[in-house]
Amino acid sequence: MTVWDDLVGQEKVSAVLDAAARDADALVTAAAAAEPLPEASKMTHAWLFTGPPGAGRNQAARAFAAALQCVSPDRALGGSPGCGFCDGCHTALLGTHADVTTVAAVGSEILVKDMRDTVRKSFTSPATGRWQIILVEDAERLNEKSANAVLKAVEEPAPRTVWLLCAPSIEDVLPTIRSRCRHLNLATPSVAAVADMLVRRDGIEPEVAASAARATQGHVDRARRLATDPAARERRAAVLRLPLRLDEVGACLRAAQELVDAAAEDAKQLAEEMDGKEAEELKAALGAVQGGRLPRGTAGVMKDLEDMQKRRRTRTQRDSLDVALGDLTGFYRDVLALQLGSRVAIANADSEAALDRLARGSTPESTLRRIEAIGACREALDRNVAPLLAVEAMTMALRAG
């Protein structure tokens, strides 16, 4: 299995990246042998991966990173880099390769202080690998200062450094940065392709795989979670029951509180899994003595970790809320399709009775207003409006229609 097998429904993108990885491999091999460098026009120092949520932007970037670090002996025999099994591929895919640095937003933004060490590392030679690779998973969350730091690094990169930036759309990245990147746009995978992936790679029953793929409309990660996690299926079912409960003001407020509480519980579970482990690892790295006492002068480092974890919990809660809002949007989209007699496939076929009830009891105009109310809630959350206030306003608007 090659690294490109992780890219669902992205055959064109895989072909472009495979050709670039071949040229990159030839370039490094020629340099190591002190031979004249071959023409490598398909390889460049900066790449921008865009596409809708679930299309696999980060997976594509990480697969490319693995192919660039591939050390399979088959390459010398004409094989393509990216075998998926060698040490270079394996560690790059797992995120443990010494020369693949991943940057992801912890809170709502990537701060310049989070980028300084990364930018500094981008100007160094690879320690053990073939390339020094910087993978920025949330390039749209770079603020002005951190984006300027990245721009300086992308303008004049080290000879063996590659920047891989991921964002929802090309407009989400500064023009000065995107003009220096090669752009690859990923499309949303088809429902059939996602269902096939779940069956082949995860051993999911075909009916469950088809239902999860259809419900998430081609979002690979959410489809896998929905197919493998009963708790995720129950949370989604609870969200889809919400539109039928909004018959009075009190019910709207209760429904909003339940959505926010469920998102907070998700964030709490993630924090319990990660925060304690990170704190213990940092204490050990700082040389904490028996009993957990920290050396003098290290309290500030622990405070920075706690601040980072707090920002991550806030983002996790809002990401969980966004998933619920996406499910609601899909629900009302299905209602609108039924009202208009559209032949578009219904995503929430398991809620057909509720869809029919709402379709008969409202108009297409009111359904569109409800979809707009969900969009307004998402925008409010992006502006850091208190989650409960934003969701309460949305549920009231859903009731009014």
Side-chain angles (χ1 to χ4, degrees):
M1 184 181 76
T2 69
V3 296
W4 314 118
D5 291 337
D6 287 335
L7 306 187
V8 182
Q10 309 295 345
E11 289 77 11
K12 291 183 180 179
V13 170
S14 299
V16 171
L17 295 176
D18 180 64
R22 287 175 179 269
D23 283 351
D25 180 65
L27 189 152
V28 174
T29 301
E35 297 176 358
L37 297 180
E39 186 70 26
S41 59
K42 296 177 183 177
M43 181 59 189
T44 186
H45 71 284
W47 297 75
L48 175 58
F49 298 82
T50 64
R57 301 185 300 263
N58 296 340
Q59 290 86 344
R62 191 163 294 283
F64 187 39
L68 293 177
Q69 303 290 19
C70 182
V71 292
S72 169
D74 293 340
R75 294 175 297 105
L77 303 176
S80 178
C83 65
F85 296 103
C86 70
D87 185 66
C89 286
H90 184 65
T91 53
L93 291 174
L94 288 178
T96 58
H97 196 291
D99 295 314
V100 179
T101 301
T102 302
V103 179
V106 175
S108 59
E109 294 181 335
I110 298 178
L111 306 178
V112 67
K113 67 178 184 179
D114 299 327
M115 288 300 304
R116 286 197 185 106
D117 290 341
T118 300
V119 169
R120 192 177 299 114
K121 184 177 181 180
S122 74
F123 290 105
T124 64
S125 298
T128 59
R130 299 169 69 79
W131 296 88
Q132 185 73 261
I133 299 173
I134 311 297
L135 197 170
V136 183
E137 293 187 344
D138 305 290
E140 76 280 9
R141 295 180 184 264
L142 290 165
N143 63 21
E144 182 179 358
K145 291 182 179 179
S146 57
N148 286 334
V150 171
L151 174 60
K152 292 178 182 178
V154 172
E155 281 180 327
E156 299 178 2
R160 294 267 290 278
T161 294
V162 181
W163 283 83
L164 308 178
L165 309 179
C166 304
S169 70
I170 193 170
E171 289 78 15
D172 290 320
V173 180
L174 282 179
T176 48
I177 293 180
R178 68 190 189 222
S179 65
R180 290 164 173 79
C181 299
R182 184 171 182 183
H183 177 218
L184 290 178
N185 186 50
L186 283 72
T188 300
S190 69
V191 170
V194 175
D196 179 67
M197 178 273 296
L198 292 174
V199 173
R200 288 187 296 104
R201 299 186 200 173
D202 298 287
I204 306 299
E205 291 295 326
E207 289 186 3
V208 176
S211 176
R214 185 171 58 248
T216 56
Q217 291 294 287
H219 194 300
V220 178
D221 292 336
R222 286 182 56 200
R224 178 180 284 114
R225 185 177 182 186
L226 204 59
T228 58
D229 185 358
R233 292 197 291 272
E234 179 53 37
R235 282 194 296 271
R236 176 176 172 274
V239 170
L240 297 185
R241 289 193 294 268
L242 183 145
L244 299 179
R245 299 170 48 198
L246 306 178
D247 52 357
E248 58 181 17
V249 173
C252 293
L253 300 181
R254 285 192 298 273
Q257 187 68 64
E258 289 172 9
L259 279 180
V260 173
D261 288 346
E265 183 62 26
D266 269 357
K268 180 181 178 182
Q269 289 179 1
L270 178 64
E272 289 175 348
E273 294 172 4
M274 301 181 65
D275 290 2
K277 180 180 178 182
E278 289 174 343
E280 291 303 319
E281 289 177 349
L282 181 57
K283 287 179 180 179
L286 294 174
V289 298
Q290 189 71 24
R293 294 179 59 187
L294 289 169
R296 188 185 301 273
T298 60
V301 179
M302 291 300 300
K303 180 64 166 59
D304 288 342
L305 175 63
E306 291 169 1
D307 290 342
M308 181 276 290
Q309 291 173 340
K310 183 178 179 181
R311 297 201 309 272
R312 184 172 62 200
R313 283 194 295 272
T314 299
R315 183 186 173 189
T316 302
Q317 179 180 1
R318 298 196 174 183
D319 286 348
S320 180
L321 266 179
D322 192 67
V323 170
L325 297 179
D327 289 335
L328 276 177
T329 301
F331 182 90
Y332 282 111
R333 166 194 168 276
D334 287 346
V335 171
L336 184 63
L338 292 176
Q339 290 172 329
L340 298 177
S342 171
R343 295 183 179 180
V344 174
I346 299 298
N348 299 287
D350 51 346
S351 301
E352 191 170 354
L355 294 172
D356 287 337
R357 177 178 166 184
L358 285 181
R360 291 193 304 268
S362 61
T363 65
E365 291 78 11
S366 65
T367 302
L368 283 172
R369 286 194 293 269
R370 285 169 172 142
I371 292 174
E372 289 171 356
I374 300 171
C377 181
R378 284 176 141 165
E379 291 176 3
L381 292 172
D382 285 340
R383 296 194 305 269
N384 290 325
V385 173
L388 185 57
L389 290 177
V391 178
E392 284 179 346
M394 179 196 72
T395 54
M396 295 295 288
L398 294 180
R399 175 177 178 267

